[in-house]
């Protein structure tokens, strides 16, 4: 017990010294639950951020690590988690970590927003510990966050000085983030890609603003085909498109010369693949993809 305590406090001191971690005084993130899925573990391995716990899992450094973070109203077992996890494991022998922060995400939207900084900060600590334990490197970590989870990913990335390989923000939440300087931003990872699906209009769940290196607006970033003006449906489409991009290769977006071109469906620039599991991606700017109404879109 004693040596473990020293390790944990040493990690906290080191992190505070780097000034890279946010509000550790808030303990929301201490309720995070982490589940590991691999091709060979049918049942998830539950672990925490202690080195001993991490080393008991079957995580190995030679596999890429994808960390999935749900949004408001989500848990470790619903919305994007089963679909994205299964699609990832189908295409790659990866370590997939699902973050469950349902202790707060199932509360009111405002309570969930309040928990985001701490949930993300603790996730950043976990990432540091994964590296410390030798089961992952920052170059092989990709954080995928949906809704509020995209901002959690931002905090986590900042916690490791923006050195994770990639963050994918799936329709990052807009409500209470429009003027929040701590929202997901491009300096949070080496490459930050954002897929916008419900960014505009009354009651939009997403943010209609560029946040990443590349900002991809599906069908103009609102009113997804087949969603019949349902904002919730358009919001979820972000992870449905991401999951489809893992197993299909037709989802390519055109570069737009301007935001106006994007909104008016005038983008004719070069094409980039949206989503995918590639650890290293390039590109910057605004892109638009027009999709079909049902899988694989
Ligand atoms: C972390 O998990 C280990 C089991 O692997 C357990 O012994 C330890 O008490 C846990 N630590 C916390 C803080 O929950
Ligand atoms: C990890 O990701 C890189 C880049 O996407 C890929 O080339 C490599 O094959 C992946 N590693 C494994 C073990 O699949």
């Amino acid at each position: 017990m004693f040596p473990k305590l020293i390790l944990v406090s040493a990690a906290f001191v080191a992190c505070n010294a780097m000034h890279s971690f946010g509000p550790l005084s808030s303990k929301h993130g201490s309720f995070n639950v982490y589940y590991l899925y691999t091709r060979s573990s049918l049942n998830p391995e539950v672990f925490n951020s202690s080195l001993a716990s991490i080393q008991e899992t079957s995580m190995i450094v030679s596999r890429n690590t994808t960390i999935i973070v749900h949004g408001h109203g989500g848990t470790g077992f619903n919305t994007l988690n089963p679909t994205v996890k299964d699609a990832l494991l189908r295409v790659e022998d990866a370590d997939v970590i699902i973050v469950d922060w349902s202790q707060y995400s199932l509360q009111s939207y405002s309570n969930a927003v309040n928990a985001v900084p701490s949930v993300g900060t603790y996730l950043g600590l976990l990432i540091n510990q994964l590296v410390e334990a030798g089961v992952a490197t920052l170059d092989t970590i990709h954080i995928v966050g949906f809704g509020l989870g995209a901002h959690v990913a931002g905090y986590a990335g900042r916690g490791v000085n923006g050195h994770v390989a990639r963050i994918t923000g799936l329709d990052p939440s807009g409500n209470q983030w429009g003027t929040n300087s701590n929202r997901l931003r491009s300096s949070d990872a080496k490459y930050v890609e954002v897929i916008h699906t419900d960014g505009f209009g009354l009651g939009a769940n997403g943010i209609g603003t560029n946040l990443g290196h590349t900002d991809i607006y599906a069908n103009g970033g609102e009113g997804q085909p087949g969603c019949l003006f349902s904002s919730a449906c358009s919001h979820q489409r972000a992870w449905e498109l991401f999951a489809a991009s893992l197993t299909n290769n037709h989802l390519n977006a055109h570069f737009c010369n301007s935001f106006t071109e994007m909104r008016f469906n005038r983008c004719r620039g070069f094409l980039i693949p949206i989503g995918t599991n590639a650890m290293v991606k390039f590109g910057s700017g605004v892109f638009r993809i027009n999709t079909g109404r049902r899988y694989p879109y």
Side-chain angles (χ1 to χ4, degrees), residues 1 4 8 30 46-57:
M1 197 65 215
K4 196 176 285 176
V8 171
S30 65
V46 188
F47 65 102
N48 61 38
S49 55
S50 77
L51 291 177
S53 178
I54 290 168
Q55 275 154 352
E56 276 168 21
T57 70

Side-chain angles (χ1 to χ4, degrees), residues 23-200:
L24 278 172
S25 51
S26 157
K27 295 287 178 224
H28 297 106
S30 65
F31 292 93
N32 289 355
V33 180
Y34 305 113
Y35 297 101
L36 172 72
Y37 291 86
T38 66
R39 280 186 172 174
S40 48
S41 48
L42 291 176
N43 295 312
E45 301 172 43
V46 188
F47 65 102
N48 61 38
S49 55
S50 77
L51 291 177
S53 178
I54 290 168
Q55 275 154 352
E56 276 168 21
T57 70
S58 56
M59 250 180 281
I60 50 172
V61 71
S62 58
R63 287 195 289 251
N64 294 320
T65 306
T66 303
I67 301 175
I68 311 177
V69 192
H70 63 75
H72 180 232
T75 74
F77 301 95
N78 68 11
T79 67
L80 82 165
N81 281 319
T83 308
V84 171
K85 179 254 298 172
D86 288 350
L88 270 165
L89 290 176
R90 196 168 313 139
V91 297
E92 181 177 340
D93 186 12
D95 288 331
V96 180
I97 296 172
I98 287 179
V99 179
D100 186 316
W101 60 287
S102 55
Q103 188 81 14
Y104 295 98
S105 65
L106 294 181
Q107 296 187 20
S108 69
Y109 182 78
S110 290
N111 283 359
V113 169
N114 286 340
V116 163
S118 174
V119 169
T121 300
Y122 274 79
L123 178 56
L125 281 173
L126 175 81
I127 292 171
N128 248 343
Q129 293 286 86
L130 297 178
V131 173
E132 187 68 29
V135 300
T137 64
L138 293 177
D139 282 338
T140 56
I141 292 178
H142 175 192
I143 314 175
V144 178
F146 169 55
L148 286 182
H151 300 299
V152 168
Y155 274 90
R158 254 164 270 158
V160 289
N161 298 316
H163 290 163
V164 286
R166 177 175 169 192
I167 290 175
T168 301
L170 301 174
D171 209 33
S173 297
N175 190 0
Q176 299 183 38
W177 296 94
T179 57
N180 186 332
S181 59
N182 289 318
R183 64 195 194 184
L184 175 65
R185 52 179 182 257
S186 58
S187 54
D188 293 340
K190 286 177 192 149
Y191 174 77
V192 176
E193 177 169 315
V194 180
I195 300 178
H196 300 268
T197 53
D198 186 36
F200 307 97

Side-chain angles (χ1 to χ4, degrees), residues 254-266:
H254 279 286
F255 176 76
C256 311
N257 290 307
S258 68
F259 206 77
T260 311
E261 251 193 36
M262 183 281 289
R263 291 291 282 160
F264 285 93
N265 198 12
R266 298 273 151 71

Side-chain angles (χ1 to χ4, degrees), residues 171 195-201 204 206-208 216-224 234 262-263 287-290:
D171 209 33
I195 300 178
H196 300 268
T197 53
D198 186 36
F200 307 97
I207 195 165
I216 298 160
Y217 292 82
N219 304 291
E222 66 175 328
Q224 298 307 309
S234 289
M262 183 281 289
R263 291 291 282 160
F287 294 79
R288 175 171 175 140
I289 180 173
N290 294 330

